[in-house]
Amino acid sequence: MMFKPVMLWTDALIFVLLAVILIFAVYVRRHAHLRAPWRGVMRSPTGLASAMVLAVFVVVGLLDSIHYRPALPLQPGQSVQYGVEVLSVLDSLLSDLRTHAEKTYSAPLATHLYAKETTVLADGRAVRIYPRLKYGGAELADPRSGWAADIGMRVALGSIKGLVLAGVLMLLPLLWRALRLRVALAQARQQLAAQALPWRALVFILTMLAVIGCVMVELAAGYHVFGTDKVGQDVLFSTLKSIRTGLVIGTLTTLVMLPFALLLGIMAGYFRGWVDDVIQYLYTTLNSIPGVLLIAAAVLIMQIYIEAHPDVFDTAAARTDFRLLFLCLILGVTSWTGLCRLLRGETLKLRELDYIQAATAFGVSDWRIITRHILPNLQHLVLISVVMDFSGLVLAEAVLSYVGVGVDPAMHSWGNMINSARLEMAREPVVWWQLSAAFVFMFALVLAANLFADSVRDAFDPRGKRA
């Protein structure tokens, strides 16, 4: 076997979460009253466009969550041995970006290093020049005369490929519907148009994503699109690898936070009395502790445990993944209080409604009332809060990594990129592209998440509909 599958803790949790989402989607599809709000989200131009952008990030994150250890070259009479380096499917797809490392800094789309070096010429003279890159623009015989034409040709070729790809992707639903229903293409087009989807927004965002993606692929085949960092690593590769870290922080923290918020919030609002007092005391005390200090203390304790037990982790990837998982746990433990307070207040209101009072008078058990009457009426609040908190958790990872208590420094993350750029911005000449790349990708993910959260809130909040 040419590779050995590796399942990290965060990989397992990601695929469990994906399975839960798929089961929830099937459940929603079978119930009209649940299907209607989601149709409202998809019929919103903003909601549809932001969902497509988020889907691109999710696909990249999933590709980076399938890990394996490659087999080492076989020696005569030796059994198969596997390397200690853990790679992902995304690493295989971006193998050129991962392996084509330069000597040090180079600017975006550059053909020479960013700083001068002393070079000895053939005649023995020592001069200070900008050396040629090993991979960036290596196909150009004369970079000064052919660089602009080569960049223009790659952009044009990528744009054409993107337009063709967008056209194919738009045609696939039409062909699938025509074959499934055995109707003509014109009738399938009319049926799709009758679904009231924002087709202009769909065509625009799909074309933009396809064109940008294809142009980036064409440029990355011959250049470093976002330049290289201090050790010559391609910044585009680091930025794409950081997507998984942001998604893991945003999603797995939610898995940890939800049980605390749901259980304690509903119990405090429904049972009241001493139960409410204890839960209020608990989250008030937790809120009084500065979150950054609590996270820093927990991360330092975990780091001491890792250093004291190196035999527990067989690879460096397992060690960094454990720290990422622990960071998700501590963020979840410290961020459930806001949703818990919100659910408590809503449960206090729902408890006094006539149909719940009638169920109590008829002797219905508390567990049945909570699961059949209270919890379904809190779903819209839970969903809206989870989607809106996602962007805050992504930004929290960047802030924590910047102050040194986030993910492992060896792990790709936007926070580590920003932390590295702090010193680069102070040097002369300024190295600005690493900070800019992290900012652009993080801004796109957070903006898409916020816009999607607004669409979900408009579709699920009944008070917003009445307004």
Side-chain angles (χ1 to χ4, degrees), residues 26-90:
V26 173
Y27 179 78
V28 169
R29 185 180 177 84
R30 295 179 178 178
H31 296 79
H33 69 285
L34 297 176
R35 209 164 51 237
W38 285 109
R39 284 182 175 176
V41 174
M42 292 297 103
R43 288 173 180 173
S44 167
T46 303
L48 182 61
S50 58
M52 294 181 65
V53 175
L54 288 176
V56 174
F57 281 98
V58 170
V59 169
V60 175
L62 290 178
L63 291 176
D64 200 20
S65 299
I66 305 175
H67 290 96
Y68 66 93
R69 291 168 61 180
L72 297 175
L74 285 176
Q75 301 294 332
Q78 185 182 19
S79 60
V80 179
Q81 300 291 330
Y82 299 97
V84 296
E85 185 181 12
V86 178
L87 303 178
S88 67
V89 175
L90 185 66

Side-chain angles (χ1 to χ4, degrees), residues 101-119 129-136 224 227-233 427 429 431 433:
E102 306 291 350
K103 187 175 181 180
T104 183
Y105 295 113
S106 65
L109 301 176
T111 58
H112 294 75
L113 289 179
Y114 195 58
K116 288 184 177 181
E117 292 185 357
T118 302
T119 303
I129 61 172
Y130 294 99
R132 281 287 302 270
L133 296 179
K134 187 177 180 181
Y135 299 102
H224 300 289
T228 56
D229 56 14
K230 185 177 181 179
V231 296
Q233 180 69 58
R427 72 186 301 275
V431 179
W433 46 85

Side-chain angles (χ1 to χ4, degrees), residues 226-239:
F226 289 143
T228 56
D229 56 14
K230 185 177 181 179
V231 296
Q233 180 69 58
D234 191 278
V235 174
L236 176 60
F237 175 76
S238 300
T239 308

